[in-house]
Amino acid sequence: MRQVAISVAVALLVGACGQGPVSSSEFELLPLEGTVEVLQGGEWKPVSEKTGVSRGDQVRAGPDGKARIHLPGEQTVELAPEARVRVAGPEAAEVLGGSVLAQARQGLAVALDGLEVTAADAVFRLDLELS
């Protein structure tokens, strides 16, 4: 049976987190450690350095992997090991599996199994676990 565990922790944004901003027309994927892959053109490709991603691309981190997706406006979605995310747009992402930490500055929507969390000036975590 599929069980969804959602953990949302919202905190005031205190300072900048991680790398600098990207331009308003592109998204960047920054692998932080371990195995990170992006699904582009129907094929999973390993990523070992900062890489551009587009709307609709999926990103996954392996059991030893961590990655950060930079969206416009200094907003980020960070993948924990074994997480999988689809880039839905400049202010949106969809969690397909695992755990993510989102940093919302201007307004960021993160969807998870039919639930959407939208926040601004906040940091929040979403977990999707199967048991």
Side-chain angles (χ1 to χ4, degrees):
M1 179 175 185
R2 182 176 161 161
Q3 179 180 10
V4 177
I6 302 172
S7 172
V8 179
V10 178
L12 293 176
L13 186 61
V14 176
C17 178
Q19 303 291 320
V22 297
S23 75
S24 62
S25 64
E26 64 182 3
F27 313 109
E28 286 183 341
L29 169 60
L30 178 65
L32 300 174
E33 63 185 64
T35 304
V36 176
E37 298 175 308
V38 62
L39 180 62
Q40 294 176 322
E43 182 180 335
W44 285 104
K45 301 173 184 175
V47 177
S48 59
E49 58 188 35
K50 191 182 295 186
T51 302
V53 292
S54 301
R55 182 185 309 245
D57 287 348
Q58 290 184 32
V59 176
R60 70 180 177 192
D64 62 342
K66 291 184 182 179
R68 186 177 299 129
I69 301 169
H70 290 268
L71 302 169
E74 297 184 45
Q75 302 192 111
T76 63
V77 176
E78 189 167 318
L79 287 74
E82 298 187 345
R84 186 169 160 188
V85 170
R86 183 178 69 81
V87 178
E91 297 173 345
E94 179 181 6
V95 179
L96 303 173
S99 177
V100 302
L101 181 66
Q103 177 179 313
R105 295 212 181 220
Q106 304 166 348
L108 177 63
V110 181
L112 172 89
D113 200 36
L115 170 73
E116 184 174 289
V117 176
T118 303
D121 293 325
V123 175
F124 57 95
R125 178 179 152 188
L126 293 171
D127 295 317
L128 178 62
E129 298 177 351
L130 301 175
S131 63

